[in-house]
């Protein structure tokens, strides 16, 4: 992921240098980086020139690809965008190139497995020998008109060639049956979730979440570092809502062709901001709000990110802070505590789970869990003769008896044992395991099955 993000960042930055009109060139400052102001109450953010690239996989190409593209736009583009797209094609704002397949990193193509693809799309890419690559450049601000133009152009040509479209910035397939649905006038106003996604990278200290879409309007991307795995889905929604609130806050300055804008380092996000970003009701709570502190920090790929950080003086760990924020804004963000009694069936379930721990550890460290799968472990907490059982999300398990994880529950025995707290568990404390995909348990959880039987 880090290698691919670095490639995508450098790809777009070098394509148009020296190729645009003087009015646009004056706004480009490739050496400028976002920086935090000294007083700490605002962040000075560099506004960059939005750029985009789409690729159409093909076996062969004609000699005049640009002419073929213009014909395809005339034939397939929606009437509301045909003129805009053709004008971009005739100007320095759009470029068309033919790339050999080897120029696109294999790591980028492998990511397409995780961002949605059909068997036919994967076959088209696999059999391709070349890629017709269309680049577009625009002006900062929402909505990203250059994105409308490049997607219209790429989808039109792909329809004509019976191929598909790759958004190299995301990276993801642009399904042709949906390609024009994200464009005006069908979607009025356009929703941010159609143009911004939150990508996930797993690490030994938690999950790294990064937005891909703020750069479409000229702003740095968002990141959250060392995130407890159990709040990944909630934080994905919240980061999209936060990105939308940032865009709304910066919109006036973006449209003034400024090279730098001031952004408050504390942004409040409400349930309404999140729902607006998705164009529909996605939050489970209403009339909620949470403030997020931002700071400019480098990401693992070396780029500058608007980074979610704890407020100064907050004594909670980062994981507990984030879990509390999700609970406040989105509702429950931790696994529920399970009450149980000691029965023969429960003892057998725990024994079976413990016997399988070496197996599930081997699958975890070798990356053989299902796509988007997370490993959680149930561990016991003692208080005298009393026991309680909590879930924890595993981030690393290098040694058999040393398991790095994030607590999934608030303990009733220990007030310091909170959802989101980093833990190192020993093997003898584990009584069950489970694999979760999109918040659903798909394997293991033997003790849960006993509890379900007891309720019947």
């Amino acid at each position: 992921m880090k290698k691919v993000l670095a490639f995508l960042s450098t790809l777009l930055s070098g394509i148009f240098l020296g190729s645009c009109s003087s009015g646009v060139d004056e706004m480009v400052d490739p050496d400028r980086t976002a920086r935090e102001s000294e007083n700490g109450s605002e962040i000075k953010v560099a506004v960059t020139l939005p750029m985009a690239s789409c690729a159409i996989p093909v076996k062969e190409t004609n000699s005049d690809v640009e002419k073929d593209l213009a014909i395809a736009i005339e034939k397939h583009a929606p009437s509301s965008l045909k003129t805009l797209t053709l004008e971009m094609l005739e100007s320095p704002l759009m470029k068309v190139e033919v790339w050999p397949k080897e120029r696109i990193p294999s790591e980028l193509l492998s990511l397409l497995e995780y961002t949605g693809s059909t068997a036919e799309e994967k076959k088209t890419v696999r059999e391709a020998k070349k890629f017709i690559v269309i680049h577009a450049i625009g002006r900062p601000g929402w909505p990203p008109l250059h994105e409308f133009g490049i997607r219209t152009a790429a989808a039109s040509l792909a329809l004509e060639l019976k191929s598909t479209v790759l958004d190299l910035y995301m990276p993801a397939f642009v399904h042709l049956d949906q390609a024009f649905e994200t464009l005006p006038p069908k979607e009025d106003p356009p929703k941010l979730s159609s143009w911004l996604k939150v990508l996930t990278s797993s690490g030994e200290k938690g999950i790294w979440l990064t937005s891909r879409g703020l750069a479409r309007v000229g702003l740095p991307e968002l990141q959250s570092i060392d995130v407890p795995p159990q709040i990944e889905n909630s934080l994905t929604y919240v980061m999209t809502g936060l990105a939308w609130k940032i865009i709304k806050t910066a919109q006036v300055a973006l449209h003034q062709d400024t090279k730098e804008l001031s952004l408050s380092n504390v942004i409040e996000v409400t349930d309404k901001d999140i729902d607006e970003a998705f164009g529909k009701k996605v939050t489970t709570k209403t009339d909620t709000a949470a403030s997020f502190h931002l700071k400019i920090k480098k990401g693992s790929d070396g780029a500058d990110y608007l980074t979610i950080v704890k407020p100064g003086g907050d004594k909670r760990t980062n994981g507990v802070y984030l879990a509390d924020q999700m609970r406040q804004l989105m509702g429950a963000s931790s696994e529920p505590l399970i009450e149980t009694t000691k029965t023969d069936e429960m003892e057998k379930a725990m024994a079976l789970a413990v016997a399988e721990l070496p197996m599930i550890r081997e699958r975890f460290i070798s990356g053989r869990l299902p796509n988007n799968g997370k490993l959680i472990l149930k561990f016991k907490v003692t208080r005298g003769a009393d026991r309680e059982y909590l879930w924890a999300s595993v981030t690393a398990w290098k040694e058999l008896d040393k398991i790095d994880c994030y607590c999934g529950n608030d303990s009733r025995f220990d007030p310091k044992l909170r959802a989101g707290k980093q833990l190192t568990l020993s093997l003898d404390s584990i009584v069950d395991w489970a694999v979760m995909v999109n918040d659903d348990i798909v394997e293991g959880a033997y003790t849960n099955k006993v509890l379900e039987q007891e309720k019947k």
Side-chain angles (χ1 to χ4, degrees):
M1 172 66 79
K2 297 172 187 176
K3 182 177 179 180
V4 172
L5 290 179
F7 165 79
L8 294 173
S9 298
T10 56
L11 166 68
L12 297 180
S13 65
I15 288 171
F16 284 98
L17 294 182
S19 65
C20 305
S21 64
S22 59
V24 175
D25 280 337
E26 289 173 0
M27 203 167 65
V28 178
D29 188 355
D31 296 324
R32 184 183 297 273
T33 59
R35 64 180 185 273
E36 189 177 4
S37 65
E38 293 181 359
N39 62 22
S41 63
E42 62 181 25
I43 301 172
K44 295 293 186 181
V45 179
V47 178
T48 57
L49 204 60
M51 302 177 189
S53 288
C54 286
I56 299 131
V58 293
K59 293 180 180 179
E60 298 295 338
T61 59
N62 293 330
S63 57
D64 194 343
V65 176
E66 190 166 317
K67 180 180 178 181
D68 291 342
L69 178 57
I71 293 172
I73 294 170
E74 286 280 5
K75 184 176 180 180
H76 297 288
S79 57
S80 60
L81 287 164
K82 186 176 296 183
T83 300
L84 167 70
T85 307
L86 288 172
E87 287 178 352
M88 288 181 64
L89 181 61
E90 294 171 359
S91 76
L93 298 178
M94 187 175 286
K95 291 177 61 176
V96 185
E97 297 179 332
V98 177
W99 288 7
K101 185 175 183 178
E102 295 75 22
R103 186 170 174 182
I104 298 180
S106 59
E107 293 92 344
L108 184 149
L109 296 179
S110 67
L111 276 178
L112 298 172
E113 294 283 343
Y114 301 94
T115 54
S117 59
T118 66
E120 187 63 28
E121 286 168 335
K122 288 186 284 189
K123 179 182 178 183
T124 302
V125 170
R126 187 169 57 250
E127 294 178 351
K129 293 181 173 59
K130 299 177 181 178
F131 284 82
I132 300 172
V133 182
I134 307 171
H135 311 291
I137 192 169
R139 288 193 175 278
W142 180 263
L145 294 179
H146 69 292
E147 294 282 0
F148 297 152
I150 191 173
R151 188 164 292 192
T152 298
S156 298
L157 186 57
L159 282 169
E160 185 67 20
L161 299 177
K162 295 180 174 57
S163 184
T164 189
V165 177
L166 304 181
D167 178 353
L168 294 182
Y169 174 72
M170 188 58 66
F173 285 101
V174 178
H175 302 306
L176 295 187
D177 59 345
Q178 303 171 353
F180 299 128
E181 292 181 3
T182 57
L183 309 176
K186 287 188 176 181
E187 184 178 272
D188 185 24
K191 59 188 177 183
L192 179 63
S193 61
S194 297
W195 302 97
L196 180 143
K197 304 297 179 186
V198 179
L199 305 183
T200 300
S201 297
S202 298
E204 294 183 4
K205 294 183 179 180
I207 291 175
W208 179 39
L209 294 180
T210 54
S211 71
R212 295 292 289 175
L214 276 174
R216 295 189 196 273
V217 301
L219 294 172
E221 299 293 353
L222 273 171
Q223 72 171 348
S224 190
I225 304 169
D226 296 342
V227 175
Q230 69 265 24
I231 66 170
E232 174 190 347
N233 289 343
S234 294
L235 188 52
T236 295
Y237 283 110
V238 170
M239 286 179 63
T240 306
L242 176 56
W244 178 236
K245 189 62 172 285
I246 290 171
I247 289 173
K248 290 192 293 184
T249 301
Q251 182 76 324
V252 173
L254 287 172
H255 282 296
Q256 292 175 344
D257 288 349
T258 181
K259 294 182 179 180
E260 187 175 75
L261 60 83
S262 296
L263 185 69
S264 172
N265 68 343
V266 181
I267 303 289
E268 183 184 69
V269 178
T270 69
D271 59 298
K272 294 179 180 62
D273 293 322
I274 299 172
D275 294 341
E276 283 180 11
F278 286 88
K280 60 182 179 180
K281 184 67 176 175
V282 297
T283 52
T284 57
K285 298 179 69 177
T286 57
D287 298 323
T288 59
S291 294
F292 291 88
H293 290 243
L294 300 176
K295 187 175 183 178
I296 299 298
K297 295 183 69 173
K298 294 288 185 182
S300 297
D301 57 347
D304 284 315
Y305 285 87
L306 288 165
T307 306
I308 297 174
V309 296
K310 290 191 306 175
D314 195 313
K315 295 183 179 180
R316 291 171 292 180
T317 65
N318 183 67
V320 172
Y321 164 73
L322 288 174
D324 286 347
Q325 292 286 87
M326 296 306 101
R327 183 182 294 129
Q328 177 179 335
L329 186 55
M330 297 288 291
S333 60
S334 63
E335 300 295 333
L337 280 170
I338 296 177
E339 295 183 3
T340 183
T341 56
K342 187 175 182 180
T343 64
D344 289 342
E345 290 76 13
M346 188 62 72
E347 291 293 312
K348 290 177 183 177
M350 289 182 177
L352 174 59
V354 169
E356 291 181 347
L357 288 177
M359 173 274 297
I360 196 62
R361 171 179 177 262
E362 175 58 32
R363 286 178 57 194
F364 173 78
I365 61 180
S366 61
R368 290 188 290 112
L369 296 182
N371 285 347
N372 300 317
K374 297 180 180 64
L375 177 60
I376 62 174
L377 300 176
K378 185 181 286 186
F379 65 101
K380 62 185 176 185
V381 179
T382 62
R383 184 178 63 183
D386 295 329
R387 301 283 188 276
E388 68 176 350
Y389 298 93
L390 314 178
W391 285 104
S393 298
V394 179
T395 58
W397 199 349
K398 291 183 178 180
E399 300 175 25
L400 183 60
D401 196 40
K402 185 178 179 182
I403 310 164
D404 295 326
C405 53
Y406 281 90
C407 188
N409 316 91
D410 290 340
S411 170
R412 289 175 294 186
F413 290 177
D414 185 354
K416 295 181 180 179
L417 193 53
R418 302 276 311 282
K421 182 178 177 62
Q422 283 185 282
L423 303 173
T424 299
L425 299 176
S426 59
L427 194 66
D428 61 7
S429 69
I430 309 303
V431 299
D432 202 356
W433 64 270
V435 174
M436 297 190 72
V437 177
N438 298 326
D439 294 334
D440 294 323
I441 291 176
V442 297
E443 295 182 60
Y446 300 113
T447 57
N448 285 26
K449 295 172 184 176
V450 173
L451 290 171
E452 291 170 1
Q453 288 296 321
E454 291 178 351
K455 292 178 181 179
K456 293 181 179 180

